[in-house]
Structures are given as structure tokens and as C-alpha cells.
Amino acid sequence: MSRITGSVGSVACLLFIGTLLPVIVAVDHEVGGDFGWNLPPMLTFFSKWARNTTFFVGDRLKFIPRANETHTYTEAESQKDYDGCIEQGIVFDSTIILTLHNPPRRRYFVCTDGNHCNNGMKFSIDVLPKATTTPNMALKIDVFPLLLFITIMANMFFV
């Protein structure tokens, strides 16, 4: 009987955690993927990267340059400023991680070093409201070990 109770407890624990994951888990996005925040090989590199990625409120952007380089970034206020590579507001070092806060909206990012923005080191994203459905596949892979650990622990305590 205790074996059945332990299994039911494990399943209940997993279901409870599974319902919370879309609400409490954010995704870290490394800008440019494996290429990083570096002077791109083509003008559209970062735009293509951003188009193939989904961003939600609460997600974080990590601007990571190569070890021997440093790049800064700022957020342009409008499409016009973005298109013209106009630097405004606070300039951030690439070591600063940016959290995407409310409200959901289109956001524009440009490199403020030299002529890098005009050479394609810029991108825009559409930040969506917090996910209310299953998070993206990359998140599922990262969460699986946590769920496995919780299941094992639940079996140890409830069996």
C-alpha cells in the first residue's frame, strides 16, 4: 500500500510543479547564440537570430562578447532611432544582463562602439506577455533534471 501511495505522491508532485513552470521560469537568451555579441559576419546576422527566437516578459538577454573583445549596447527608443543607429539613454557594458520587463512591446538594441551598429550589430525583438503555455523546447531540456530529482526525492520520502 505504501508503494502505491508513494507513486501517487510523486505524480501529484510532478503535476503541481508542471503547472507552475510556465509562470515561474524565465529563459536566458545569449544574444547571437553561439556567435555571441560580436561584430557579425553579415549585416542581417542579429536580425535573423532575433527573428528565430521567442522572447517573453521576464526573460533575460545576455550580451556575451569573445574573451578578447568588449562591446557595449543601448536600447534605442524607436524604429527611426534604431534604423539610424542613434545612441540614446544608458550605455551598458556587455557584462550586464538585461531582464525584459513589462509591458510587452517591440524593443530595439544597438551596439554603441564605433561604427558597429551600421555594420549590423543591432537587433529588434517583440517581447510577448509571460508564457501561459508550455515553455519552449530549450527550457524543457533544462528543467528535466530538476523534475527527475524531485521525483526521486518524493519516492524516497513517500515510499
Side-chain angles (χ1 to χ4, degrees):
M1 178 72 174
S2 66
R3 180 89 174 137
I4 294 172
T5 305
S7 296
V8 170
S10 297
V11 170
C13 183
L14 280 174
L15 289 174
F16 175 73
I17 291 170
T19 59
L20 292 178
L21 282 176
V23 177
I24 61 174
V25 177
V27 176
D28 286 349
H29 301 280
E30 290 187 18
V31 175
D34 291 337
F35 182 77
W37 184 237
N38 299 294
L39 200 56
M42 60 186 160
L43 290 175
T44 58
F45 177 82
F46 286 105
S47 297
K48 286 182 182 178
W49 169 80
R51 258 195 314 273
N52 293 321
T53 308
T54 304
F55 303 92
F56 294 98
V57 168
D59 287 358
R60 299 185 323 164
L61 295 178
K62 297 168 79 175
F63 294 78
I64 302 174
R66 290 186 191 98
N68 61 344
E69 295 183 26
T70 58
H71 294 283
T72 56
Y73 68 92
T74 191
E75 188 167 357
E77 293 181 11
S78 67
Q79 179 76 44
K80 182 180 176 184
D81 294 342
Y82 169 79
D83 290 340
C85 290
I86 297 173
E87 301 169 14
Q88 297 174 331
I90 300 171
V91 174
F92 296 100
D93 188 322
S94 58
T95 59
I96 301 296
I97 297 172
L98 178 73
T99 301
L100 302 171
H101 293 290
N102 273 325
R105 67 184 192 277
R106 177 167 281 264
R107 297 181 71 173
Y108 309 92
F109 299 93
V110 299
C111 181
T112 59
D113 295 330
N115 204 26
H116 292 184
C117 178
N118 289 318
N119 289 321
M121 207 164 171
K122 63 181 182 175
F123 64 97
S124 64
I125 60 174
D126 289 315
V127 181
L128 304 173
K130 282 191 177 185
T132 56
T133 59
T134 304
N136 65 30
M137 192 60 191
L139 181 60
K140 288 182 189 177
I141 294 168
D142 291 338
V143 171
F144 179 74
L146 173 66
L147 293 178
L148 181 61
F149 173 76
I150 291 170
T151 302
I152 291 169
M153 296 309 288
N155 278 316
M156 290 175 63
F157 292 109
F158 295 113
V159 175

